[in-house]
Amino acid sequence: MAKTNPGRFFEDYQLGEVIDHAVPRTLSGGERALYHALYPARHALASSDEFARACGLPAAPLDDLVTFHTVFGKTVPDISLNAVANLGYAEGRFLQPVYPGDTLHSQSQVIGLKQNSNGKSGVVYVRTTGRNQRGEAVLEYVRWVMVRKKDLDAPAPDTFVPELKPVLAPFDLAVPEGLDFTGYDVALAGEPHRLGDYEVGETIDHVDGCTIEEAEHMMATRLWQNTAKVHFDATFREDGKRLIYGGHVISMARALSFNGLANAQMIVGLNGGAHANPCYAGDTVKAWSEVLDTAETSAPGVGAIRLRLVATRGGAPFQLRGDDGKYLPDVLLDLDYWALMPT
Amino acid sequence: MAKTNPGRFFEDYQLGEVIDHAVPRTLSGGERALYHALYPARHALASSDEFARACGLPAAPLDDLVTFHTVFGKTVPDISLNAVANLGYAEGRFLQPVYPGDTLHSQSQVIGLKQNSNGKSGVVYVRTTGRNQRGEAVLEYVRWVMVRKKDLDAPAPDTFVPELKPVLAPFDLAVPEGLDFTGYDVALAGEPHRLGDYEVGETIDHVDGCTIEEAEHMMATRLWQNTAKVHFDATFREDGKRLIYGGHVISMARALSFNGLANAQMIVGLNGGAHANPCYAGDTVKAWSEVLDTAETSAPGVGAIRLRLVATRGGAPFQLRGDDGKYLPDVLLDLDYWALMPT
Amino acid sequence: MAKTNPGRFFEDYQLGEVIDHAVPRTLSGGERALYHALYPARHALASSDEFARACGLPAAPLDDLVTFHTVFGKTVPDISLNAVANLGYAEGRFLQPVYPGDTLHSQSQVIGLKQNSNGKSGVVYVRTTGRNQRGEAVLEYVRWVMVRKKDLDAPAPDTFVPELKPVLAPFDLAVPEGLDFTGYDVALAGEPHRLGDYEVGETIDHVDGCTIEEAEHMMATRLWQNTAKVHFDATFREDGKRLIYGGHVISMARALSFNGLANAQMIVGLNGGAHANPCYAGDTVKAWSEVLDTAETSAPGVGAIRLRLVATRGGAPFQLRGDDGKYLPDVLLDLDYWALMPT
């Protein structure tokens, strides 16, 4: 029996099955520093203990995407080692901030299976939950991936496609306990714009750009203990290119969006997302956003803003799809999320 | 109204105006580790809690240049986003060590304005103060930059050029409270040379060199939340080059100067500095120093040494200017600073 | 007198001499985060405080190789600055885990000297001990290097070649106090294979690969305050190549070996090692292992496994030497070590 992990194939998943993912991870100020070194991240709440305390939190939480990447990375050996494509995200809820010293682990449940008509692959839907050392859920999200079959003769499972919310409702969002934006300091945060200053349909070109290097995306992806070969091994693909982890593009775009959305402080909901085109080293990532919705929350001074975040490879802002309905070749990411913002 | 920060133009500054810079930042052991990964930093006081305690400090402070870069980085969106050139530094005083767990923010006052005769730009002088979470000043320095005008018809302000000390006097220097070098261990520090072993006029070739990579200078510059496009976006300049943040060269040269100046433990004064020529990835940075002065301080066993630190792109040591009085093309940095050294 | 460190030459070493290496170093969560960013490290004991506590330790120790690199790096200015070659390691014993907050320093004793017959160089054997802030030894190992003579007329020392154990016996290994694998959770650790599942002679292809970038190996090597020019200065060698620190290859291979040896949790003994061929940026490092021995320890549930770890530049697994008995050109590292594993 081979000792190495071959990954799972489509026929290895059972509907309802629960998978405990290996290698829990304790996070520290080191991960925060690296996050700031890898991305131009400046949201004040994740940057300053003092700012966070003035907003009712015990200290600055780690960037919400540190939580996402850490929880996600653990699932790779069990879910996407043999994935052909990462098809989508839905119902992502950030349930609780994560602080330096917390230890995260991940668990996934198979909530849907659908073999493709070609019989060679199928779509696996999992709901993944990240928990801290107290067993409290910090994040849950649904992801579906296309996975190869190994044994083409294995019988197709009963098809079950879960019903997923296209968008989380504001009351689905978990606002961190104690969060209070009534004394929010817009000068320290970097921009004066509050929730009322944004209109649904408004678009924002985030102006800045970052050209990505191989060393950076590999360091980021290893940091989350994501093990997919294709990100690290230049001999793996025939063209000698290393595919950049989609989450690296998410973090880069989110950090770039500070310029224009400095007060969109915490990501609390992930409605959906598509990695429209692959990203490679040498690409210059730029970003633009569109305001999709705004809402109130029950926390004092805290509103919610729903945003489309688009990362491009230097493409013109506000262009998303061609006449054929397909993403334009310069579009890397189309993400739909909820963030918290002072009212 | 555009939501993104266009930066300020020359006509936007008022003499005497105070600008609070955004995004306070909590530093940790993570920033220290990254500083050691990015630069060959080995000064014992910033490397070892035990060494620092034996010198009367509560723990190893972060490298003084971590303080400088963090305080400086916060000023970029308000001071130098539209700068044509960073013209100089003066009266830089490190007032207190910064430790992991401290949160820094920055404030600048406009202390001088002078429109250029071409009417298209002007020089802005600011005195920047970095403070910790207790409101205590940890660093102050003067910097002047040339900034473009946006509205060429805006009236020129009254010219005011502040009088700045060409060199800080020894009594201007703040020695950290409790610092005591009477039990200083030169063996642990790495070199036997004490203040009395250095002569004014002496020059030291620091011998070592580091070839700089794009990933490194971008990680460093992002770590300090410095947002100037020109460092990150290879499509920004016509030649496709990313200009390396001048502070990256300062830190590289200072770290290289360990070899010959291992006991110049803490930077306490920045008398002046010029980024003589731009630095790009692929350049191999080398450094040499000249002893400009020595002095006593009131702290036990603690002297001060004034040094010229020159970084080159592999140029011959001890060459600074050509016959025309201009910096030689291989000179990257000419820095004049005070450091503390055991007597 | 030049202020910079010229390094020692062969004639500068005396048998029995003890050298205190400079610049003690306090480690933190920052070094752990960077280790995870630089290598695909996933062993659960060094990743999760909770996992480590369930195994009887107070918290997750730093990866054993962080200890090795930190202790080793300090010796470079005194031992290998003028080394022509790093010839071997022996009797490496990890005596105690190192935790964030610990401060390490290093000391070496010259235990052997042998001038080469050409009279131009000689072999220096040192036993290096790393100690924490309490003076407790955390690591000791023997290393021998070939060092140039500066003064070819200096008399040859009496030849003394120390007798070194080719392999540490199981009773030589120090198991961390309190370590208890009776409740070891293989699911969280990532693989089901326990000591009894491995057979002596068994070989494992670790499958994954990482293509190395200049920025990565330089950041790693600086992080350990290793100052050897050849790793950093592209102008130092005529071919413009920067030689990768051998320890970078050790860490890369060990991290890759997770896939198949996830439960080989802690390195406790280093029997020997050879850097078979130089490694350069652009090389894709792969790894394979061979089980050399297994043993019991006195700690509950804790066994020991002796492994050969081979790193290659993408060479076929399980090929080590050619017909001439020399290492194949694609072999980078041949390491012989003991690790602890649940029984």
Side-chain angles (χ1 to χ4, degrees):
Chain A
M1 171 193 174
K3 292 289 199 304
T4 50
N5 175 20
R8 284 164 169 246
F9 294 88
F10 179 68
E11 65 268 28
D12 298 329
Y13 294 94
Q14 305 294 327
L15 193 66
E17 176 186 14
V18 172
I19 303 169
D20 268 313
H21 304 297
V23 192
R25 172 70 169 280
T26 303
L27 298 164
S28 79
E31 277 76 10
R32 178 152 69 182
L34 267 163
Y35 197 81
H36 280 96
L38 291 163
Y39 308 107
R42 289 189 286 150
H43 287 92
L45 206 65
S47 177
S48 164
D49 283 347
E50 307 304 311
F51 191 94
R53 280 178 200 130
C55 294
L57 300 182
L62 293 166
D63 193 289
D64 315 295
L65 292 174
V66 170
T67 303
F68 177 78
H69 297 313
T70 304
V71 170
F72 182 101
K74 317 237 137 299
T75 70
V76 169
D78 300 311
I79 305 298
S80 44
L81 218 57
N82 299 308
V84 183
N86 196 38
L87 298 173
Y89 305 102
E91 299 186 5
R93 298 171 69 226
F94 293 77
L95 299 165
Q96 196 169 143
V98 172
Y99 296 96
D102 283 354
T103 300
L104 301 188
H105 68 278
S106 304
Q107 196 181 59
S108 297
Q109 183 166 28
V110 179
I111 61 166
L113 288 171
K114 180 176 185 300
Q115 183 164 313
N116 287 331
S117 53
N118 64 14
K120 295 183 178 169
S121 57
V123 179
V124 180
Y125 297 78
V126 292
R127 185 180 304 272
T128 297
T129 306
R131 287 195 177 78
N132 65 20
Q133 68 279 13
R134 291 180 298 275
E136 301 157 348
V138 297
L139 169 66
E140 60 171 36
Y141 65 90
V142 172
R143 167 163 89 118
W144 54 107
V145 293
M146 191 185 301
V147 180
R148 280 185 290 131
K149 289 184 79 166
K150 189 177 184 188
D151 173 9
L152 299 187
D153 296 330
D158 290 340
T159 291
F160 185 83
V161 174
E163 204 170 321
L164 298 169
K165 299 181 187 180
V167 179
L168 291 166
F171 57 76
D172 287 325
L173 307 176
V175 179
E177 200 182 320
L179 193 72
D180 180 345
F181 280 168
T182 52
Y184 189 94
D185 185 333
V186 289
L188 278 184
E191 288 180 354
H193 327 300
R194 291 168 178 274
L195 189 64
D197 299 319
Y198 291 89
E199 283 179 42
V200 173
E202 179 178 352
T203 53
I204 302 159
D205 177 4
H206 298 300
V207 179
D208 301 313
C210 269
T211 307
I212 297 185
E213 299 295 314
E214 300 281 12
E216 291 169 11
H217 77 82
M218 291 200 297
M219 287 182 70
T221 309
R222 278 191 294 251
L223 188 57
W224 321 124
Q225 298 177 311
N226 178 329
T227 60
K229 274 192 194 66
V230 74
H231 306 314
F232 303 109
D233 183 344
T235 68
F236 187 67
R237 284 164 47 132
E238 288 201 353
D239 64 4
K241 286 188 176 181
R242 283 164 270 181
L243 180 68
I244 291 178
Y245 161 50
H248 191 64
V249 178
I250 295 178
S251 276
M252 189 58 85
R254 161 71 177 160
L256 290 169
S257 79
F258 176 92
N259 202 346
L261 285 165
N263 295 318
Q265 286 289 355
M266 303 186 87
I267 299 180
V268 286
L270 191 60
N271 298 309
H275 298 292
N277 284 290
C279 182
Y280 302 105
D283 286 350
T284 298
V285 175
K286 300 199 168 189
W288 57 270
S289 293
E290 179 183 355
V291 180
L292 298 177
D293 202 357
T294 62
E296 295 184 351
T297 81
S298 59
V302 180
I305 186 166
R306 184 181 156 212
L307 295 156
R308 174 199 295 275
L309 172 63
V310 176
T312 71
R313 188 189 285 120
F318 316 136
Q319 307 294 313
L320 192 62
R321 294 176 188 271
D323 293 340
D324 57 2
K326 291 188 181 164
Y327 284 113
L328 292 169
D330 280 348
V331 172
L332 301 171
L333 171 75
D334 180 13
L335 195 78
D336 180 338
Y337 72 102
W338 282 103
L340 300 180
M341 186 177 266
T343 54
Chain B
M1 171 195 174
K3 292 289 199 305
T4 50
N5 175 20
R8 283 164 170 245
F9 295 88
F10 181 67
E11 64 269 28
D12 298 329
Y13 294 94
Q14 305 293 325
L15 193 67
E17 179 186 11
V18 173
I19 303 169
D20 268 313
H21 304 297
V23 192
R25 171 69 170 278
T26 303
L27 299 163
S28 79
E31 277 77 9
R32 179 152 68 182
L34 266 163
Y35 197 82
H36 281 96
L38 291 163
Y39 308 108
R42 289 189 285 151
H43 287 92
L45 206 64
S47 177
S48 164
D49 283 346
E50 306 305 311
F51 190 93
R53 280 180 199 129
C55 295
L57 300 182
L62 293 166
D63 192 289
D64 316 294
L65 291 175
V66 170
T67 303
F68 177 77
H69 296 314
T70 304
V71 171
F72 182 102
K74 315 238 138 296
T75 71
V76 169
D78 299 312
I79 306 298
S80 44
L81 217 57
N82 298 307
V84 183
N86 196 38
L87 298 172
Y89 305 102
E91 299 186 5
R93 299 169 68 223
F94 292 78
L95 299 165
Q96 197 171 141
V98 172
Y99 296 96
D102 283 353
T103 300
L104 301 188
H105 69 278
S106 305
Q107 196 182 59
S108 296
Q109 183 166 29
V110 179
I111 61 165
L113 288 172
K114 180 175 186 299
Q115 183 165 311
N116 288 331
S117 54
N118 65 13
K120 293 182 180 168
S121 58
V123 179
V124 180
Y125 295 79
V126 292
R127 185 181 303 274
T128 296
T129 305
R131 287 195 176 79
N132 66 19
Q133 68 279 12
R134 293 179 296 276
E136 301 158 348
V138 298
L139 169 66
E140 59 172 38
Y141 65 90
V142 173
R143 165 163 90 118
W144 55 107
V145 292
M146 191 185 300
V147 181
R148 280 185 289 131
K149 289 183 77 167
K150 187 178 185 189
D151 174 9
L152 297 187
D153 296 330
D158 290 341
T159 291
F160 185 83
V161 174
E163 204 169 319
L164 297 170
K165 299 181 185 178
V167 180
L168 292 166
F171 57 76
D172 287 326
L173 307 176
V175 179
E177 202 183 318
L179 192 73
D180 180 343
F181 280 169
T182 52
Y184 189 94
D185 185 333
V186 290
L188 278 183
E191 289 180 355
H193 326 301
R194 291 168 179 274
L195 189 64
D197 298 319
Y198 291 89
E199 283 179 41
V200 173
E202 179 177 351
T203 52
I204 302 158
D205 177 3
H206 298 301
V207 179
D208 301 313
C210 269
T211 307
I212 297 185
E213 299 296 312
E214 300 281 12
E216 291 168 11
H217 77 82
M218 291 201 297
M219 286 182 70
T221 309
R222 277 191 295 251
L223 187 58
W224 321 123
Q225 298 176 311
N226 179 329
T227 60
K229 275 191 195 63
V230 74
H231 306 314
F232 302 109
D233 182 345
T235 67
F236 188 67
R237 285 166 45 135
E238 288 201 355
D239 63 4
K241 286 188 175 180
R242 281 164 271 181
L243 180 69
I244 290 177
Y245 162 50
H248 191 65
V249 178
I250 294 177
S251 276
M252 190 58 86
R254 161 72 177 160
L256 290 169
S257 80
F258 177 92
N259 200 345
L261 285 165
N263 295 319
Q265 285 289 355
M266 302 186 89
I267 299 181
V268 285
L270 191 60
N271 298 308
H275 298 291
N277 284 291
C279 182
Y280 302 105
D283 286 349
T284 297
V285 176
K286 300 200 167 187
W288 57 270
S289 294
E290 179 184 355
V291 180
L292 299 177
D293 203 358
T294 62
E296 295 184 351
T297 80
S298 58
V302 180
I305 186 165
R306 184 180 156 214
L307 295 156
R308 175 198 294 277
L309 172 63
V310 177
T312 71
R313 188 189 287 119
F318 316 137
Q319 307 294 313
L320 192 62
R321 293 175 189 274
D323 293 339
D324 56 2
K326 291 187 181 164
Y327 284 113
L328 293 169
D330 279 348
V331 173
L332 300 171
L333 171 76
D334 180 12
L335 195 78
D336 180 337
Y337 73 101
W338 282 104
L340 299 179
M341 187 178 265
T343 54
Chain C
M1 172 195 174
K3 293 289 199 303
T4 49
N5 175 20
R8 284 164 169 247
F9 294 88
F10 180 67
E11 64 269 28
D12 298 329
Y13 294 93
Q14 306 294 327
L15 193 67
E17 176 186 16
V18 173
I19 303 170
D20 266 315
H21 304 297
V23 192
R25 171 71 170 277
T26 304
L27 299 164
S28 78
E31 277 76 9
R32 178 153 68 183
L34 266 163
Y35 197 81
H36 280 96
L38 291 163
Y39 308 108
R42 287 189 286 151
H43 288 92
L45 206 64
S47 177
S48 164
D49 284 347
E50 306 305 311
F51 191 93
R53 280 180 200 129
C55 294
L57 300 182
L62 292 166
D63 192 289
D64 316 294
L65 291 174
V66 170
T67 303
F68 177 78
H69 297 313
T70 304
V71 170
F72 181 101
K74 317 237 136 299
T75 71
V76 169
D78 300 311
I79 305 298
S80 44
L81 217 57
N82 299 307
V84 183
N86 196 40
L87 297 172
Y89 305 101
E91 299 186 6
R93 298 170 68 226
F94 292 77
L95 299 165
Q96 198 172 138
V98 172
Y99 297 96
D102 282 354
T103 300
L104 301 189
H105 69 277
S106 305
Q107 195 181 61
S108 296
Q109 183 166 29
V110 179
I111 61 165
L113 288 171
K114 180 175 186 301
Q115 183 165 312
N116 288 331
S117 53
N118 64 14
K120 294 182 179 169
S121 57
V123 179
V124 181
Y125 296 78
V126 292
R127 186 181 302 274
T128 297
T129 306
R131 287 194 176 80
N132 64 19
Q133 67 278 12
R134 292 179 297 276
E136 301 157 348
V138 298
L139 169 67
E140 60 172 36
Y141 65 90
V142 172
R143 165 163 90 117
W144 55 107
V145 292
M146 191 184 301
V147 181
R148 281 185 289 130
K149 290 184 78 166
K150 188 179 184 188
D151 173 10
L152 298 187
D153 296 330
D158 290 341
T159 291
F160 185 83
V161 174
E163 203 169 319
L164 298 170
K165 299 181 187 178
V167 179
L168 292 166
F171 58 77
D172 288 325
L173 307 176
V175 179
E177 200 183 318
L179 193 72
D180 180 344
F181 280 167
T182 52
Y184 189 94
D185 185 333
V186 290
L188 278 184
E191 288 180 353
H193 326 300
R194 292 168 177 274
L195 189 64
D197 298 318
Y198 291 90
E199 282 179 42
V200 173
E202 178 178 353
T203 54
I204 302 158
D205 177 4
H206 298 300
V207 179
D208 301 312
C210 269
T211 307
I212 297 186
E213 299 295 313
E214 300 280 14
E216 290 169 11
H217 77 82
M218 292 200 297
M219 286 183 70
T221 309
R222 277 191 296 253
L223 187 58
W224 321 123
Q225 299 177 310
N226 179 329
T227 61
K229 274 191 196 63
V230 74
H231 306 315
F232 303 109
D233 183 344
T235 67
F236 188 67
R237 285 166 45 135
E238 287 201 355
D239 63 3
K241 285 189 176 180
R242 283 165 269 182
L243 180 69
I244 291 178
Y245 162 51
H248 192 64
V249 178
I250 295 178
S251 276
M252 190 58 85
R254 160 73 176 158
L256 290 169
S257 79
F258 176 92
N259 200 346
L261 285 165
N263 295 320
Q265 285 288 356
M266 304 186 87
I267 299 181
V268 285
L270 191 59
N271 298 309
H275 298 292
N277 285 291
C279 181
Y280 302 105
D283 286 350
T284 297
V285 175
K286 300 199 169 189
W288 58 270
S289 294
E290 179 183 355
V291 180
L292 299 177
D293 202 358
T294 60
E296 295 184 353
T297 81
S298 59
V302 180
I305 186 165
R306 183 181 156 214
L307 295 156
R308 174 198 296 275
L309 173 63
V310 177
T312 72
R313 187 190 286 118
F318 316 136
Q319 307 295 311
L320 192 63
R321 294 175 188 272
D323 293 339
D324 55 3
K326 291 188 181 163
Y327 284 113
L328 293 169
D330 280 347
V331 172
L332 301 171
L333 171 76
D334 179 12
L335 195 78
D336 180 338
Y337 72 102
W338 282 103
L340 300 180
M341 186 178 265
T343 53

